[in-house]
Amino acid sequence: MNRYVFALRMARQDALRAKGRTALVLSMIGLPIGVVVALAVLRSTAEAGAGGGAGAPSAAESAVLAMIVSMVALEVVLLAGPAFMVDARRRRRDLALVAASGGAGRHLRAVVLASGLLLGGIAAVAGAGLGIAAAAAVARVASGPDGFGPLTVPWATIAVTMLLGAGSGLLAALVPARQAGRMDVVAALAGRREPPGRARRGLPIAGGVLVVAGLAASLEGVRVLREFGAALGAAAIIIGLVLAAPWIVGATGRLAPRLPLPLRLAVRDGARNRARTAPAVAAIMAAVAGVTALAIGGASDFEQRRVEYQAQLPHGSALIRLPQGQNQGAAEAAIRRDLPGVPVVPIRTLPGPWGECLAQDTSKCPALSFSAERDGAGVNEILPIVVGGSREARMLLGRDDPAVTSALDAGKIVLFRVRPLDDGTVTAAATYWDDDREHTIARVEDLPAVAAQGDPHVPAIVPPKIAERLAATAGVPVRTEAYGVDRADHRVTKAEQARLTGTMKTFSDDSSAVRVERGFTESYGKITLMLGAAAAVLALGATLIATGLAGADARPDLATLRAVGARPRTRRLLTTGRGAYIAGLGCWLGIAAGLVPGLAVTHPLTDGVEETGAAPHGTITDIPWLLLLAIAVGVPLVAACVAGAVTGGRLPKAARTPG
């Protein structure tokens, strides 16, 4: 029988026999693959919904994509590698029997590699299916105004991702396969452990060099490469610490005499068996480092949005934009039907200079501007030039302004964010753009006007009589742009807002057609919980794998403990100590690894003002200390408790050698 067929049969039988371990390995490989596939499908679907093709990615996008794929492959190998080591150690006797029956080292390697290929292939297929299903669910829920169109599956990308998953499973089994091919058959049949291999001295040095280079790239690279520099630095730091992880685990053994008995035994065992402890610590470290950097960058970006937020309406007021065209009358009736008995203010407007022209002939899209000198930087304008009187002014300003009301009653234009007018008049110009040039249609001079205080996020309020004159003289149309709800008349509830939003979706694809000013209502709490949960799940999985491997290796030690009179709970305490040691070391190293890249990325993310009209500010740095504290303390405690809970309390008996 061909040795590969024989190896696959043994791998299949073992996978069916050890269902718990098989499910764990499938999860460790399949979940990262599913995330990558889901993101790829959502990206293609969003591009199809926006009407654009996938296009060729830029050099920066390709580099970032390659980095993400490399980090996913590294995480899969680090998570699945210890699991295959558990498998190889657990199957030592079976492998020894194969060798005793005439099998060579290549046959033993083939058996272990077949497990990696089989489980990696199954996990890749399952992860891809799960990712497509998750993306389809998200696209279905978020279809329409968010830009998602019909589900578009990039089969080429998914095929490459599946190959990556299968290859990662095979790569994770390489080291256990090499160990299986070199194992001492007599020692395995007798149940004796093999001595640990010697550590390579060059790896910690190379890891230290990479860590220093990553720190330099994070601190200096952001000046040239911005966010990409911080990403490069983070990748270098993580890879460097992965290389140095065996040395770090070994160095912690010096702390063992100062620790309580369960932690002392756990630390000594981990330092003595670095080959199985270091990958789990490195996997936790890599995951937590990415979470830390993302959390700091995301929290700082969120804080910038909060600082730069500008209310575009008075707090409690609402604005419902109308679709332009034949549906406008039906939309007006629907608004009044959804807000029965609520006074709504029709907002009529004149086209401003920044309006969008949908006509092919741009001369049919005139824009109106005034000759007054602007005061300060521009702002986000929620509406163009408004036509109306005191009622519209009160709705936009949120209060009765006597100066504005008297000016409008006197037939004067009220201008906002302009310098005081010398002679109390302005000139209105109707223009349009064509061939990258501004063409003037007409000018209307000596219009009475005043400069008012406040910022209602409109350039001006024009009395109806002057608006009619401008429409007749300059040809600028007056149209009903929206309906407003004054906060003094009614506060639109969230239920009413949801009903209005659903109604307006039937008339247009404008996702911001209904706006109710409630202040800055975004929250970073859900994202924080997701990041913490991701770190906890990965740390828990790696800890369980590592403690399972340690338990398989430590049966002779446990038998010795039973022989000297140790209580049954000693095994559970020892496993709890191992879990706390592995998860704690991985989480603390991960926080240290992600701290500098996370702080560095805040400079390119937040050093500039993104919202028009917001006050200038420097770099905004916000460190989510509560999340980092939960990862540093809470995750190791949970991992330790779970590892202890799933471990049996009975100590094994010492094997007796006859004779």
Side-chain angles (χ1 to χ4, degrees):
M1 181 186 298
N2 187 287
R3 71 172 183 268
Y4 299 111
V5 176
F6 170 73
L8 284 173
R9 285 186 177 179
M10 284 195 66
R12 176 179 174 274
Q13 292 174 359
D14 184 71
L16 294 175
R17 185 167 60 246
K19 295 183 177 61
R21 180 196 60 84
T22 301
L24 188 60
V25 175
L26 292 178
S27 300
M28 293 297 103
I29 300 176
L31 288 179
I33 299 303
V35 172
V36 174
V37 168
L39 292 176
V41 173
L42 288 175
R43 180 177 181 270
S44 298
T45 303
E47 289 175 349
S58 63
E61 289 177 342
S62 300
V64 172
L65 181 61
M67 186 183 306
I68 292 174
V69 169
S70 302
M71 296 308 295
V72 168
L74 176 64
E75 189 71 20
V76 168
V77 170
L78 291 175
L79 287 173
F84 287 116
M85 294 185 74
V86 172
D87 178 61
R89 296 291 178 88
R90 184 178 53 82
R91 298 167 64 189
R92 283 186 70 207
R93 185 171 180 82
D94 294 340
L95 295 174
L97 290 174
V98 172
S101 301
R106 64 178 183 273
H107 297 95
L108 304 183
R109 289 193 296 270
V111 170
V112 179
L113 289 175
S115 295
L117 182 61
L118 178 66
L119 297 181
I122 295 174
V125 174
L130 182 64
I132 294 174
V138 173
R140 182 179 180 86
V141 172
S143 61
D146 291 333
F148 287 105
L151 188 68
T152 304
V153 181
W155 293 110
T157 303
I158 291 178
V160 172
T161 307
M162 292 172 64
L163 289 176
L164 172 68
S168 298
L170 190 62
L171 189 62
L174 277 179
V175 174
R178 289 183 59 188
Q179 293 179 350
R182 298 196 305 254
M183 75 174 181
D184 187 342
V185 177
V186 176
L189 290 175
R192 297 195 303 268
R193 289 182 296 180
E194 295 182 359
R198 297 178 59 185
R200 298 182 180 180
R201 296 183 178 180
L203 290 181
I205 298 175
V209 171
L210 276 176
V211 170
V212 173
L215 292 174
S218 297
L219 296 175
E220 298 296 330
V222 293
R223 299 182 180 181
V224 179
L225 302 176
R226 297 186 68 78
E227 294 92 344
F228 187 53
L232 278 176
I237 292 172
I238 291 173
I239 295 174
L241 287 177
V242 168
L243 295 178
W247 177 84
I248 295 173
V249 170
T252 58
R254 301 174 184 175
L255 303 175
R258 302 182 180 90
L259 299 174
L261 179 61
L263 281 176
R264 186 189 314 164
L265 295 176
V267 172
R268 283 178 175 173
D269 180 72
R272 187 171 59 247
N273 299 278
R274 293 187 291 269
R276 58 169 162 80
T277 306
V281 171
I284 298 172
M285 179 274 301
V288 172
V291 168
T292 300
L294 286 174
I296 295 175
S300 301
D301 188 55
F302 172 81
E303 181 65 16
Q304 181 189 19
R305 294 199 302 273
R306 189 192 66 79
V307 169
E308 295 182 0
Y309 179 80
Q310 302 170 80
Q312 295 185 341
L313 287 170
H315 193 276
S317 295
L319 188 73
I320 305 104
R321 294 183 180 275
L322 295 174
Q324 302 303 316
Q326 298 178 352
N327 294 331
Q328 185 168 354
E332 293 176 0
I335 292 172
R336 296 184 184 277
R337 184 177 62 251
D338 286 346
L339 297 174
V342 176
V344 292
V345 182
I347 306 294
R348 297 188 302 155
T349 62
L350 292 165
W354 309 112
E356 184 179 0
C357 182
L358 301 178
Q360 205 167 17
D361 184 4
T362 55
S363 63
K364 296 181 180 179
C365 302
L368 191 68
S369 60
F370 298 104
S371 59
E373 185 180 356
R374 305 293 295 181
D375 183 14
V379 296
N380 289 326
E381 293 180 347
I382 193 171
L383 289 169
I385 301 169
V386 173
V387 177
S390 58
R391 189 183 184 194
E392 288 79 6
R394 188 186 69 178
M395 186 264 164
L396 294 171
L397 289 170
R399 68 184 189 280
D400 288 318
D401 190 320
V404 172
T405 300
S406 60
L408 291 172
D409 291 341
K412 297 180 180 180
I413 299 173
V414 178
L415 301 172
F416 298 97
R417 301 184 310 279
V418 299
R419 299 186 184 278
L421 306 176
D422 294 334
D423 56 356
T425 62
V426 293
T427 298
T431 59
Y432 70 93
W433 281 87
D434 189 25
D435 296 330
D436 295 330
R437 252 181 345 109
E438 188 177 29
H439 301 268
T440 301
I441 300 174
R443 290 182 181 273
V444 181
E445 300 180 350
D446 298 329
L447 294 173
V450 296
Q453 300 294 322
D455 183 11
H457 291 276
V458 298
I461 300 178
V462 178
K465 290 186 177 180
I466 295 182
E468 294 173 2
R469 177 183 172 187
L470 291 172
T473 306
V476 286
V478 178
R479 68 180 186 184
T480 302
E481 179 91 7
Y483 273 92
V485 179
D486 194 335
R487 65 180 182 181
D489 298 329
H490 179 73
R491 299 282 181 122
V492 176
T493 64
K494 292 183 178 181
E496 291 172 335
Q497 182 182 1
R499 186 168 61 248
L500 282 168
T501 301
T503 299
M504 299 309 294
K505 280 184 179 180
T506 61
F507 297 103
S508 71
D509 292 335
D510 185 6
S511 59
S512 60
V514 180
R515 181 180 182 89
V516 180
E517 186 57 61
R518 305 186 192 277
F520 186 77
T521 57
E522 296 183 37
S523 173
Y524 198 64
K526 291 183 179 179
I527 300 177
T528 300
L529 289 176
M530 290 176 60
L531 291 173
V537 168
L538 291 173
L540 181 61
T543 302
L544 290 177
I545 291 173
T547 52
L549 177 57
D553 269 356
R555 290 184 64 85
D557 295 337
L558 295 174
T560 302
L561 288 175
R562 177 174 179 172
V564 298
R567 296 179 180 181
R569 66 179 182 181
T570 303
R571 180 179 184 181
R572 185 171 288 114
L573 288 175
L574 183 57
T575 304
T576 302
R578 286 196 185 106
Y581 165 64
I582 293 170
L585 183 58
C587 288
W588 297 340
L589 284 177
I591 292 174
L595 194 61
V596 172
L599 293 174
V601 81
T602 60
H603 292 275
L605 276 179
T606 65
D607 57 355
V609 178
E610 294 185 356
E611 293 294 332
T612 305
H617 57 76
T619 301
I620 297 176
T621 301
D622 186 18
I623 301 177
W625 292 112
L626 187 60
L627 172 63
L628 298 185
L629 181 63
I631 292 175
V633 179
V635 170
L637 286 177
V638 172
C641 292
V642 173
V646 299
T647 302
R650 298 181 61 184
L651 294 171
K653 295 182 180 180
R656 296 180 179 270
T657 304

